Amino acid sequence: MDDKNPKSSSGRFRKWFKRKHKKKQADPCYNQDELSDGGDDFMEDVYVSSFEMDPCTSTNELSFRIFVGTWNVAGRSPVGSLAVDLEEWLKPQDAVDIYVIGFQEIVPLKTRTVIGAEDPKKATNWNLLIGKALNESFGRPWLTPMLNPISSDSYHYAEVPVSEKRASFSAISDNTPMRRPVTRQRHHQQPVIGGSKYKLMASKKMVGVFISVWMKKELLKKYCVSNVKVSSVACGIMGYLGNKGSVSVSMLIEGTSFCFIAAHLASGEKQGDEGRRNHQVTEIFKRTSFPRSAKGDGSLHPLKILGHDQIFWFGDLNYRLYNLEDNLARHLIKKQDWKALQEFDELRREQEDGVFQGWREGNIEFAPTYKYSSSNCNRYSGGLPYRSGEKQRTPAWCDRILWYGKGVKILSYLRSEIKFSDHRPVSALFSTQIEVMKSKDSRFSSKDTSVPNIMPPEPIGRSRNNEEGKLAVFNCKGYRSIISTHTKSVDKPNECGFS
């Protein structure tokens, strides 16, 4: 057959490529940046080894359930007794695929914690508590990783090198080595957590703002999860200290990019305070970035927040009730007239015509989450009769969860009654649609369990300038094909591997 002739196949490939270039309108399924990365000489030397494939890919949609939660813990340290409350809040259930949890004030916002060195112990303790709550509820023993703890405040999931993965397009075998955590300071071999159901994918701490992302381990065996990155923006005192700001996680699941932003914005209910919050939101949009890695394998990864397909922004956003007297606000709360109360909500105004225009939020059918009295956690701080030493604060929905993008449906929006701080935690459950990229060629579908004799004997990406006929894997926006190289190397590893 002609397609077994390298020169014949190469010639057809070049003709097809030139025809595509002559078209005035770009093919929507053709990613020019990916295919032309090596220049024209590179394309001259590439041919499809055993079959020709359409550059387009068909997509199947997959539904994931994502739990997003936010809680300002008022500087209090996690204690053992909190595990029960945390489990009650998270309500671990098998239907949830990803947990994204944001905290504010995990350390007291004092001078030494704001301008001093970061202490990773707080983040580690919260991660251990979350892991315990998520995994032990399923009867899975959570073995505390005491030997090699994650000792940095910044952690993200790192993939196993391609050479360690088996040649399978559907799954990674159970004995595949665990992914390695990457920390800002040094590498640690993450201990294998025997029987755990959820795996820590990323966490990031900046002073008191903290985010922790967990995902079902079984999903990591079925789907491609890549480009997990973290970012932080400090915009507090003088505009650059970390008492206020955000920590964010970006990740790619198959063909869909996600961004999770946990934020703590400026407090206050005086005139001008809303403007300070809006300015900080603008700064977070502007300064949050997820740089591509030096090895160049993140060319499809969004650099900025709004470049993602699905975005979730949550935290103590501190938006208050404007032009509403305190006693009237408390009267509406007593009547549970949430609709009337929301007419005065600053954040709703910003969603209609402001910094969050176009962003969506679930229906608020719960009482304001701030500020509860430190002396009596069952009532709001302030009000009448006046109590000496107690701050006068009009109750407000400071703790919020917003989203932006297509393919997102909110299933629930609730507050919890944990009386650990002066804020009540808030959570939302989402159903999200994820694009699973598949080749149209039936011989290369996700149903294949193995493809014999295609794995190179060494990791892809190593220079092979003087070797001919080596097979490599070329990943074009979720589309996987087998190509052969002549003389020139392909220094572009498949970031998704064969999972």
Side-chain angles (χ1 to χ4, degrees):
M1 294 178 63
D2 291 341
D3 60 354
K4 291 184 179 179
N5 186 332
K7 293 182 179 179
S8 174
S9 182
S10 179
R12 289 198 302 273
F13 190 91
R14 288 197 298 273
K15 290 179 182 178
W16 170 86
F17 184 74
K18 290 178 181 178
R19 286 200 307 271
K20 291 290 183 180
H21 260 303
K22 288 181 181 179
K23 292 186 178 181
K24 292 183 179 180
Q25 287 187 334
D27 188 326
C29 297
Y30 166 64
N31 188 323
Q32 181 176 340
D33 291 339
E34 281 290 304
L35 285 178
S36 62
D37 188 62
D40 293 338
D41 290 339
F42 166 73
M43 293 309 302
E44 290 285 327
D45 294 324
V46 176
Y47 69 93
V48 179
S49 62
S50 61
F51 51 86
E52 290 183 298
M53 296 178 65
D54 192 300
C56 294
T57 59
S58 61
T59 61
N60 286 344
E61 285 193 343
L62 176 72
S63 180
F64 272 28
R65 288 202 172 191
I66 301 178
F67 175 102
V68 178
T70 178
W71 191 12
N72 185 320
V73 295
R76 299 189 61 184
S77 300
V79 293
S81 59
L82 186 61
V84 176
D85 290 330
L86 196 62
E87 185 173 329
E88 173 63 25
W89 177 40
L90 301 179
K91 294 182 175 63
Q93 49 186 301
D94 192 58
V96 177
D97 299 302
I98 301 173
Y99 278 90
V100 184
I101 307 160
F103 293 93
Q104 302 81 43
E105 297 188 41
I106 65 169
V107 298
L109 298 183
K110 299 178 179 179
T111 303
R112 60 182 178 84
T113 57
V114 172
I115 66 176
E118 288 280 5
D119 180 5
K121 292 179 182 178
K122 295 286 187 180
T124 301
N125 290 339
W126 277 108
N127 275 333
L128 291 177
L129 202 61
I130 295 168
K132 180 182 176 69
L134 290 180
N135 289 291
E136 289 195 349
S137 62
F138 293 99
R140 309 290 182 88
W142 174 249
L143 305 181
T144 304
M146 295 300 293
L147 296 178
N148 296 292
I150 300 167
S151 60
S152 173
D153 61 298
S154 179
Y155 164 90
H156 65 87
Y157 164 94
E159 297 170 273
V160 168
V162 177
S163 59
E164 297 180 18
K165 297 181 179 181
R166 58 177 274 213
S168 168
F169 286 90
S170 61
I172 300 176
S173 61
D174 291 338
N175 59 0
T176 299
M178 294 285 288
R179 273 74 169 171
R180 293 194 292 264
V182 176
T183 65
R184 187 172 60 192
Q185 300 169 350
R186 57 176 180 158
H187 292 259
H188 299 276
Q189 181 62 43
Q190 187 181 20
V192 177
I193 307 302
S196 61
K197 189 176 185 69
Y198 290 93
K199 176 179 175 59
L200 177 63
M201 298 298 295
S203 69
K204 176 66 178 175
K205 173 185 176 294
M206 181 190 71
V207 186
V209 191
F210 177 59
I211 188 171
S212 187
V213 180
W214 298 72
M215 188 171 182
K216 275 186 181 177
K217 285 175 62 177
E218 64 188 66
L219 298 179
L220 296 173
K221 301 176 183 179
K222 296 179 181 179
Y223 306 108
C224 172
V225 181
S226 60
N227 285 298
V228 181
K229 302 176 186 293
V230 296
S231 177
S232 62
V233 173
C235 49
I237 300 171
M238 297 184 294
Y240 285 95
L241 291 186
N243 60 307
K244 295 294 187 290
S246 68
V247 288
S248 307
V249 171
S250 173
M251 62 195 299
L252 192 66
I253 304 178
E254 290 288 337
T256 302
S257 56
F258 289 83
C259 187
F260 304 102
I261 306 108
H264 191 188
L265 304 182
S267 61
E269 53 189 37
K270 302 185 300 296
Q271 185 175 1
D273 289 335
E274 181 184 1
R276 292 195 299 131
R277 289 186 275 275
N278 292 340
H279 175 72
Q280 290 174 349
V281 170
T282 303
E283 286 296 296
I284 291 169
F285 274 125
K286 182 168 63 176
R287 290 160 52 190
T288 299
S289 63
F290 304 98
R292 293 171 181 149
S293 57
K295 62 182 180 180
D297 63 349
S299 57
L300 299 175
H301 191 79
L303 298 178
K304 307 295 287 184
I305 290 175
L306 292 177
H308 293 76
D309 297 314
Q310 297 178 8
I311 313 166
F312 300 84
W313 187 307
F314 50 99
D316 180 2
L317 307 187
N318 256 321
Y319 285 99
R320 308 300 175 94
L321 301 175
Y322 66 94
N323 295 333
L324 181 64
E325 293 183 2
D326 181 82
N327 60 346
L328 179 55
R330 293 173 189 268
H331 174 70
L332 293 175
I333 293 171
K334 188 175 182 179
K335 290 177 58 179
Q336 298 187 10
D337 192 347
W338 313 134
K339 186 176 181 179
L341 202 61
Q342 287 173 55
E343 294 295 323
F344 303 92
D345 180 50
E346 289 179 344
L347 184 54
R348 287 297 168 99
R349 181 166 59 180
E350 296 303 325
Q351 289 175 260
E352 293 170 0
D353 185 23
V355 292
F356 282 113
Q357 186 174 8
W359 289 69
R360 301 181 65 186
E361 183 180 20
N363 293 326
I364 298 179
E365 297 178 351
F366 51 82
T369 56
Y370 175 83
K371 171 181 174 64
Y372 281 87
S373 171
S374 57
S375 60
N376 184 348
C377 56
N378 292 313
R379 64 171 178 81
Y380 291 107
S381 179
L384 299 174
Y386 175 78
R387 296 170 179 85
S388 177
E390 190 167 274
K391 292 183 178 180
Q392 296 293 317
R393 296 288 185 271
T394 300
W397 288 292
C398 291
D399 309 277
R400 312 288 279 270
I401 301 172
L402 308 177
W403 82 89
Y404 189 90
K406 296 180 180 179
V408 180
K409 179 182 179 182
I410 190 166
L411 303 178
S412 66
Y413 194 29
L414 308 167
R415 82 169 214 171
S416 175
E417 297 307 317
I418 303 177
K419 300 169 184 178
F420 185 71
S421 77
D422 55 356
H423 288 253
R424 294 291 190 263
V426 172
S427 63
L429 184 62
F430 296 94
S431 174
T432 66
Q433 299 299 313
I434 294 174
E435 288 187 356
V436 179
M437 309 301 290
K438 289 186 178 182
S439 166
K440 288 182 179 179
D441 193 291
S442 60
R443 289 168 289 176
F444 221 60
S445 68
S446 61
K447 294 181 181 179
D448 296 336
T449 56
S450 64
V451 181
N453 301 322
I454 67 169
M455 284 295 288
E458 61 187 34
I460 294 172
R462 190 174 298 174
S463 177
R464 314 186 190 96
N465 289 336
N466 298 321
E467 300 181 39
E468 295 187 6
K470 292 286 186 182
L471 290 175
V473 179
F474 190 79
N475 182 350
C476 178
K477 202 167 184 177
Y479 152 71
R480 304 180 179 99
S481 65
I482 302 301
I483 62 174
S484 178
T485 61
H486 270 252
T487 306
K488 296 183 181 293
S489 66
V490 183
D491 191 18
K492 197 172 187 68
N494 175 16
E495 65 188 43
C496 295
F498 301 98
S499 54

